[in-house]
Amino acid sequence: MIALLSSLLTYAESDSLEVARPRKEKREGGFMDRVYQVVKKFSEIDTNYIEPQHYNYTVMLQGTYSYESYSLSDTDGDEITLSPDPTVKVGPYFGWRWIFLGYTLDFSHVNDGKKRQDFNVSLYSSQIGVDLFYRKTGIEYKIKSLSLGGYSNESIKNVPFDGFHSSIKGFNLYYIFNHRKFSYPAAFSQSTCQKRSCGSLLAGIGYTKHTLEMNAEKLTAVVKEHFGEHTPEGLDEMESFHVEYTDISGSVGYAYNWVFARNCLFAASLSAALGYKRTKGETSEENRFSLSNFSFKNFNIDGIGRFGLVWNNTRWYAGANAIFHTYNYEKSQFATNSMFGNVNVYVGFNFGQR
C-alpha cells in the first residue's frame, strides 16, 4: 500500500509539473494572446450570412456630392435658410486591407478661389464603426429663403451672401450588436458581401463642435436691396453674432441589409441621438437673432441616416451610398437646424487574392 501511495504521489507530482510548465509559458504570452483574441473578434462573422473578403488590395474611382444647410429662426417668425452650392469631387482610391487612401478634385470650385475645407473619414469593422469629419465653409453661401416680419420675397432666393460663416468638427462612434450576421462593411466599404438579409440594433456616442457667425450689416444691406418698401422696421437694430456650441450625444438606431438579388444589396439605417449642448455666445439683447437665451444645458434630438445600394461579386463592385447628419438647437426664443451629408457613387475591383 505504501509503495502504491508513493507511486501515485510520484505520478501526481510529475503530472503537476508537466501541467505547470505550459501554464507558465501561457502566462508569459498571455497578454498578447488576449490582445490578439480581442482584435480577432472584431472581424468574426457567420459565413452563412456574410461572405468575407478574399483579396488584399482594391482600386476604386469615386465621385462625391456634398451638401449642407443652416436654418435660423426666432419667436417673431423671422427665419433665414442658408446653403452653399453643393460640391462635386471625383478621384481614385487605393486600399490595402484596413488602409484606404485616395485623392479627389473639387470640380465645382476649381478656379473660384472660395475658401472651403471638407474632410470626412468613415471606418467600418464588423462590430464598430467610426465617422470623423471636419467642415469649414467660407464665403460661398446663398440665401435659400428669408422671412422677416411675416413677409418674404422670392427675388432674394439664391442671392449670394458672404456674411455667414460656419464650421463643424467631430466624430461618431457606434456599436453593431448583430455583427456576426449583419455587415456594415458590405454596404459602405465593399470589403465583405451580405449573402442573406439581416438587421441589427445600433448604439453609439458622438461629439461635435459647431461655430456660426453672422454679419448683420451685410444681411441688412441685402434685405433692403430686395425687400424695398417692405423692409421691416427695426432692421437696422440687428446686430452681428458669433456663437460656438458643443454637442455630446448618445444614440440608438437600427440598420437593415436587404439582399434583393444575387450580389445585390440595399442598406438603410437610422439613428436618433439625444444631444447635450453647451453654448458660448456673444450678442446683445437687441440682436434680431437673439442668442442671449442660450443655456449651457440643453437637450435636443439629432439624427443620422445612412443608405446604400451595392452590387458586389467579390471581384468587381459598384454602387452608391449616402450619409446625412442633422443637428438641432432650440430654445424659447431662438432655434437653429443644421444638416450636412455626402452622396458617393463608385466603381472598383479587388485583386491580390489572400
Side-chain angles (χ1 to χ4, degrees):
M1 177 65 73
I2 294 174
L4 178 60
L5 289 174
S6 176
S7 62
L8 288 173
L9 288 171
T10 302
Y11 174 80
E13 290 173 357
S14 62
D15 184 61
S16 64
L17 289 173
E18 290 174 3
V19 173
R21 287 191 190 99
R23 285 199 193 104
K24 184 177 181 180
E25 293 172 2
K26 188 173 182 181
R27 281 196 299 269
E28 290 175 353
F31 175 75
M32 294 306 298
D33 288 342
R34 286 193 294 271
V35 171
Y36 172 75
Q37 292 301 323
V38 170
V39 173
K40 186 177 179 181
K41 286 182 179 180
F42 280 95
S43 59
E44 285 184 352
I45 57 174
D46 183 342
T47 54
N48 292 316
Y49 284 80
I50 302 171
E51 184 74 20
Q53 175 65 281
H54 301 297
Y55 301 90
N56 287 313
Y57 307 99
T58 185
V59 173
M60 182 180 74
L61 179 66
Q62 177 173 290
T64 299
Y65 176 95
S66 298
Y67 174 83
E68 66 180 286
S69 175
Y70 290 86
S71 294
L72 306 171
S73 61
D74 63 13
T75 54
D76 295 331
D78 299 334
E79 182 175 357
I80 183 171
T81 300
L82 299 152
S83 179
D85 288 333
T87 61
V88 179
K89 299 179 180 179
V90 179
Y93 286 80
F94 176 79
W96 174 75
R97 295 194 176 186
W98 286 63
I99 302 174
F100 208 77
L101 302 174
Y103 175 82
T104 58
L105 178 63
D106 185 353
F107 285 92
S108 55
H109 299 90
V110 176
N111 298 314
D112 59 11
K114 294 179 179 179
K115 300 177 181 179
R116 182 187 181 94
Q117 299 176 28
D118 188 356
F119 173 79
N120 294 273
V121 175
S122 293
L123 306 174
Y124 303 98
S125 70
S126 296
Q127 290 191 46
I128 292 177
V130 181
D131 295 325
L132 303 171
F133 46 85
Y134 173 78
R135 302 169 73 94
K136 183 177 181 181
T137 307
I139 61 174
E140 72 271 28
Y141 276 96
K142 291 184 177 179
I143 298 175
K144 296 302 179 180
S145 66
L146 177 63
S147 175
L148 295 174
Y151 180 81
S152 59
N153 192 327
E154 286 296 318
S155 67
I156 204 169
K157 186 175 182 179
N158 290 322
V159 170
F161 179 63
D162 62 357
F164 182 75
H165 300 266
S166 70
S167 69
I168 178 173
K169 56 185 176 182
F171 71 88
N172 291 310
L173 174 67
Y174 47 92
Y175 181 81
I176 302 150
F177 287 90
N178 192 20
H179 52 84
R180 289 181 176 85
K181 296 181 178 180
F182 169 85
S183 177
Y184 241 149
F188 297 101
S189 64
Q190 305 82 48
S191 57
T192 61
C193 294
Q194 188 81 46
K195 298 163 66 174
R196 299 169 60 181
S197 299
C198 190
S200 177
L201 290 172
L202 312 172
I205 58 174
Y207 170 86
T208 55
K209 182 175 181 179
H210 304 250
T211 301
L212 305 174
E213 185 175 354
M214 175 72 79
N215 186 310
E217 292 182 1
K218 292 184 177 181
L219 180 59
T220 299
V222 172
V223 170
K224 287 182 176 180
E225 179 182 353
H226 290 83
F227 277 56
E229 62 182 14
H230 297 287
T231 300
E233 295 181 2
L235 184 65
D236 292 328
E237 298 177 2
M238 183 186 299
E239 294 186 5
S240 302
F241 71 78
H242 174 92
V243 63
E244 299 177 12
Y245 72 90
T246 57
D247 183 353
I248 301 174
S249 64
S251 65
V252 293
Y254 187 78
Y256 191 79
N257 283 350
W258 175 36
V259 182
F260 60 90
R262 181 177 175 81
N263 300 326
C264 296
L265 170 68
F266 175 75
S269 73
L270 294 172
S271 296
L274 181 62
Y276 169 87
K277 299 176 174 66
R278 182 177 180 180
T279 307
K280 178 176 69 175
E282 296 178 358
T283 185
S284 68
E285 295 182 358
E286 292 81 12
N287 192 344
R288 170 69 64 173
F289 295 102
S290 176
L291 302 181
S292 59
N293 60 313
F294 268 57
S295 172
F296 70 93
K297 284 188 177 181
N298 197 33
F299 289 91
N300 293 103
I301 300 297
D302 304 324
I304 305 171
R306 295 181 175 87
F307 306 91
L309 180 64
V310 186
W311 173 82
N312 190 344
N313 68 358
T314 72
R315 180 73 171 186
W316 292 86
Y317 57 88
N321 60 56
I323 304 174
F324 287 95
H325 304 258
T326 63
Y327 298 92
N328 298 284
Y329 192 98
E330 184 174 356
K331 293 293 287 184
S332 59
Q333 296 182 3
F334 181 88
T336 178
N337 170 269
S338 60
M339 187 269 286
F340 73 89
N342 296 315
V343 177
N344 304 305
V345 179
Y346 54 85
V347 60
F349 69 96
N350 301 307
F351 62 98
Q353 194 164 8
R354 294 183 179 181

